[in-house]
Amino acid sequence: VVLAAVFSLPLQEVLAAGVEPERLVNAALVGAGMAGGFAVLNLLPLDYIREIERDTDLFCLGLMGKDTKPGRVFLYSLALALGASVSEEIFFRGVLLPLGAQYLGEGVSLVVSSLIFGVGHTNTPGGSTLLEAGLGAVFGYLFISSGGNLLVPIVCHFVYDFITFVVSHTRGKARLEGVNIREKFLSDQVQKAKQFFKEADGEQFAAFCMQVFQLLDLDKNGFISVEELRQGLRVFDVSRFGIGRGGGNSAVSLPSDAEEEDSVEKAFNAIDTNGDRQISYEELMAFLSSRLRTQ
């Protein structure tokens, strides 16, 4: 709003301009189509896309809570999507794009403002500069093709975000529901568990270790990476397992801001005993065994 006033941009006219209902419906369909298109991309065996999906799921779980009921998820998603779509479209398409068009021309300004939109989402969990820039280009095109009516990209942006929030939270909960004890796997692990922790019931301890491992092995490839540990610490309460925030009995004490790289590395290195930059089930079991022995 301040930028619009300084550079004499007609923001009030952009917000108040009339638009045909059919154009708004089409914008909503475009938003839904983009959300559906990305869901299809998630089916492809592309690590880059799967990492975005995973981080988005965990971000939504952390934002809305992993035990939140569907009705509240709907309301939270509604509020989040509305806030993001209105505020971001006012700035990027209502102010930045027209401002750039005054000096660079409409086409160049569309590209530049879309790239800035992408860069602005880089540090958002699940954010991708390339993907977000593409979305920004679509929103910008809708803004231009509507004759400069901001309501059109707002509707498209809102529908895309709303569907993404709801689907990602639902999919994230499904990840947790998939955390179960695989009997055929455990039957082979009971003896290993007994070797590490002979004072306890080997089967019970193996189940305990497997539960923690499955929580943190987000891509289910049989190992825990640094990024998976970082994302897991954001969402799951694993302090009772000896891996978590704060002091107390944790073997590796993380500060309240668990995203600090040094702290995550410290936790990771304490578990990754062979230094191959991935945590195996056996390494996690040995770590948890040592924690239980010291408590």
Side-chain angles (χ1 to χ4, degrees):
V1 175
V2 173
L3 286 174
V6 170
F7 291 95
S8 301
L9 298 174
L11 184 58
Q12 185 175 358
E13 296 178 16
V14 169
L15 290 170
V19 62
E20 303 89 348
E22 182 181 355
R23 192 178 289 274
L24 295 179
V25 172
N26 289 336
L29 292 175
V30 171
M34 291 192 300
F38 191 68
V40 172
L41 282 178
N42 290 333
L43 301 177
L44 300 177
L46 300 175
D47 292 340
Y48 175 72
I49 297 298
R50 289 182 175 179
E51 287 176 4
I52 294 175
E53 174 194 0
R54 178 198 67 197
D55 293 350
T56 303
D57 292 353
L58 293 177
F59 173 70
C60 291
L61 281 177
L63 203 60
M64 292 182 262
K66 58 183 181 290
D67 298 318
T68 305
K69 295 182 178 179
R72 287 186 176 273
V73 171
F74 180 90
L75 293 176
Y76 288 156
S77 299
L78 195 68
L80 289 168
L82 184 62
S85 60
V86 172
S87 61
E88 291 180 1
E89 292 310 310
I90 287 177
F91 177 71
F92 287 101
R93 261 60 68 179
V95 175
L96 199 59
L97 198 161
L99 177 61
Q102 291 182 359
Y103 300 95
L104 305 172
E106 199 168 58
V108 175
S109 181
L110 173 61
V111 173
V112 172
S113 62
S114 299
L115 289 174
I116 295 175
F117 181 77
V119 172
H121 287 78
T122 301
N123 292 327
T124 302
S128 161
T129 301
L130 183 61
L131 173 65
E132 299 295 340
L135 293 175
V138 173
F139 300 146
Y141 173 77
L142 290 174
F143 174 73
I144 294 172
S145 63
S146 68
N149 189 295
L150 199 57
L151 190 58
V152 175
I154 285 177
V155 168
C156 182
H157 193 156
F158 167 78
V159 171
Y160 173 81
D161 276 1
F162 175 75
I163 294 175
T164 299
F165 282 132
V166 172
V167 170
S168 293
H169 188 275
T170 303
R171 192 170 52 206
K173 287 192 71 173
R175 286 178 182 270
L176 297 187
E177 291 170 0
V179 175
N180 49 47
I181 305 305
R182 305 170 191 167
E183 295 300 332
K184 63 179 180 180
F185 177 84
L186 286 179
S187 63
D188 299 328
Q189 299 299 323
V190 170
Q191 294 303 318
K192 293 182 181 179
K194 288 181 178 180
Q195 293 175 8
F196 281 113
F197 198 58
K198 297 179 180 178
E199 294 85 350
D201 183 317
E203 185 172 359
Q204 182 181 10
F205 182 63
F208 165 77
C209 294
M210 188 58 183
Q211 182 185 33
V212 181
F213 187 82
Q214 288 184 320
L215 280 176
L216 298 176
D217 179 21
L218 302 173
D219 61 8
K220 308 306 177 189
N221 71 340
F223 295 96
I224 300 169
S225 66
V226 175
E227 183 60 27
E228 286 177 319
L229 182 62
R230 180 184 297 107
Q231 294 291 346
L233 289 173
R234 290 175 181 170
V235 177
F236 307 123
D237 177 17
V238 292
S239 59
R240 64 185 182 280
F241 303 140
I243 316 168
R245 307 180 183 190
N249 293 324
S250 294
V252 181
S253 178
L254 295 183
S256 57
D257 182 5
E259 296 180 18
E260 286 188 18
E261 185 66 26
D262 290 344
S263 298
V264 175
E265 281 287 334
K266 184 178 179 181
F268 185 85
N269 291 334
I271 307 172
D272 177 30
T273 54
N274 66 4
D276 64 353
R277 302 302 295 167
Q278 56 184 7
I279 297 172
S280 66
Y281 172 81
E282 287 75 14
E283 286 176 321
L284 183 66
M285 185 160 55
F287 175 82
L288 295 177
S289 174
S290 66
R291 285 303 307 131
L292 289 174
R293 287 177 183 277
T294 60
Q295 291 181 1

